[in-house]
Amino acid sequence: MRRTLTTLRTLAAALCGTALVLTGTAATPAQAAGKALTPAWELRDSGSDARFRGLAAVSRTTAWAAGTKGTVLLTRDRGRSWRNVSPPGAGTLEFRDVEAFDARRAVVLAIGEGEASRVFRTDDGGTTWTETFRNADPKAFYDCLAFFDARHGIALGDPVDGRFRVLATGDGGRSWRVLPASGMPDALPGEAAFAASGQCVVTTRGRSGGRDAWIATGGAASSRVLHSADRGRTWTVTGAPVPAGDPARGVFGLAFRDRAHGLAVGGDYRAGQPSERAAAVSGDGGATWNASARPPGAYRSGVAWLPRSRTTALAVGPTGSDVTTDGGRTWRAFDTGSYDTVDCAPDGGCWAAGEKGRLARLTARSGR
């Protein structure tokens, strides 16, 4: 644990140009010597071949992953071992999102049309699960979920009758209700959310409970980001300068480090297709978005801020990972492995997940 913490302190300080980023400690000898550090993913053997698009980083030691074939995994030892805690009988379900409060409490979302969209909750580290929502509307398809605090959360569904569908919970995901559509702007023709990384809806989150939420969209003539300041009851919408005009293009993932500063990533998810404008940044809570001056070189599906950093974030996709140290204006590649999603815990532990059972922790390596 001590080695991991020192590595993350050193990495964050080197990337952000300060020795006081994650933990408030002084610069390490490596920093003093001027050695360059580069972030790196350290693969961990998950023992699974599932594709994990759902990921919840609890801490440096603990993380949850949710994926295909109804698979849910949990580690409590920095990824050295992963325990299969999948809900019984869920083998036909496609889990695309997981939100965890700690090592015992988590909520997972299964996607699909009609009854394939379901929500489960555990309070004992996955030993037992309770199904808390099963979609009964054949026109509805749920994509992702997010929580404001341990009680309040929302789940996002694709448009039904011309407007995005939003579920809400006030008891930690033990029960859900469909919010009225009257506060939701009309969807564009072909517009939808992408269940690619568990980041098509994100929130400000904290013990006191935030109220802001953002939705990422694509598949239409333009990419858009929707914002709610009242936990999903009413929404405003603005355009985002991310590739659009095709069902395979749009904003796939969002990350907000506070109510104002946000990042958007996306592009064209089809292999070999260009995504020249795969990232954008907002400094006003998503009211306006500016294209990154130097975006990632390809489609990216997941994005996360490094905790306690005002400028450093990570983005991942099937063709590699990138880091920004200037708040999303410019990005540089640091890994070529395939990942679908990324998440960072408040204590600085960052994790990534993707196809063929790929699960990894963020470390650092010395440059020349």
Side-chain angles (χ1 to χ4, degrees):
M1 181 182 297
R2 184 176 300 172
R3 180 182 302 172
T4 301
L5 179 57
T6 300
T7 299
L8 287 172
R9 288 172 179 165
T10 306
L11 170 61
L15 290 177
C16 300
T18 176
L20 301 171
V21 178
L22 291 180
T23 59
T25 58
T28 65
Q31 296 163 5
K35 292 182 179 179
L37 289 174
T38 300
W41 291 118
E42 183 179 70
L43 275 170
R44 295 299 198 180
D45 183 6
S46 69
S48 172
D49 62 357
R51 185 166 194 168
F52 295 108
R53 296 182 185 270
L55 179 65
V58 175
S59 67
R60 296 186 304 275
T61 61
T62 303
W64 298 72
T68 57
K69 296 180 285 189
T71 307
V72 180
L73 301 185
L74 170 64
T75 182
R76 296 180 178 177
D77 58 7
R78 299 190 294 278
R80 286 196 296 265
S81 64
W82 293 84
R83 186 161 61 96
N84 190 326
V85 296
S86 306
T92 61
L93 299 178
E94 295 284 321
F95 289 131
R96 292 294 181 92
D97 202 356
V98 55
E99 297 292 321
F101 308 108
D102 50 40
R104 296 183 61 81
R105 299 174 298 158
V107 178
V108 296
L109 171 76
I111 69 161
E113 296 178 349
E115 292 190 353
S117 285
R118 305 181 195 182
V119 178
F120 298 80
R121 178 184 165 107
T122 182
D123 289 286
D124 54 16
T127 301
T128 61
W129 293 86
T130 301
E131 182 180 308
T132 61
F133 173 78
R134 182 179 297 203
N135 175 43
D137 188 340
K139 296 182 292 183
F141 184 115
Y142 289 91
D143 301 284
C144 48
L145 73 160
F147 278 81
F148 302 94
D149 54 34
R151 294 176 53 203
H152 302 92
I154 56 176
L156 173 68
D158 287 334
V160 174
D161 298 328
R163 295 186 176 184
F164 282 94
R165 175 71 61 86
V166 177
L167 294 176
T169 179
D171 56 12
R174 296 178 178 86
S175 64
W176 298 83
R177 67 187 187 282
V178 177
L179 293 181
S182 56
M184 178 67 67
D186 291 338
L188 299 175
E191 191 173 26
F194 294 105
S197 61
Q199 297 177 348
C200 60
V201 62
V202 299
T203 61
T204 52
R205 185 169 173 175
R207 291 183 180 179
S208 59
R211 304 189 67 82
D212 291 273
W214 294 266
I215 291 172
T217 82
S222 63
S223 298
R224 304 199 299 175
V225 175
L226 284 66
H227 172 238
S228 172
D230 54 13
R231 293 182 177 170
R233 290 191 293 274
T234 61
W235 299 82
T236 57
V237 63
T238 188
V242 174
D246 186 277
R249 299 174 185 164
V251 180
F252 282 71
L254 295 169
F256 276 79
R257 66 174 174 83
D258 53 36
R259 294 187 64 194
H261 298 90
L263 301 171
V265 297
D268 191 319
Y269 71 75
R270 294 171 295 190
Q273 294 298 309
S275 296
E276 295 90 351
R277 295 172 288 116
V281 59
S282 175
D284 55 11
T288 59
W289 293 86
N290 296 309
S292 297
R294 189 173 73 214
Y299 154 73
R300 294 292 180 255
S301 53
V303 61
W305 291 94
L306 260 67
R308 304 185 189 178
S309 171
R310 300 179 62 85
T311 57
T312 304
L314 307 168
V316 301
T319 61
S321 301
D322 305 88
V323 62
T324 177
T325 58
D326 56 13
R329 290 184 291 277
T330 62
W331 296 82
R332 62 178 175 86
F334 71 88
D335 188 275
T336 58
S338 176
Y339 297 101
D340 292 309
T341 189
V342 58
D343 194 27
C344 293
D347 70 353
C350 292
W351 302 76
E355 62 181 346
K356 299 178 181 178
R358 289 172 63 89
L359 293 167
R361 299 169 59 252
L362 188 69
T363 60
R365 58 174 178 263
S366 297
R368 294 182 179 179

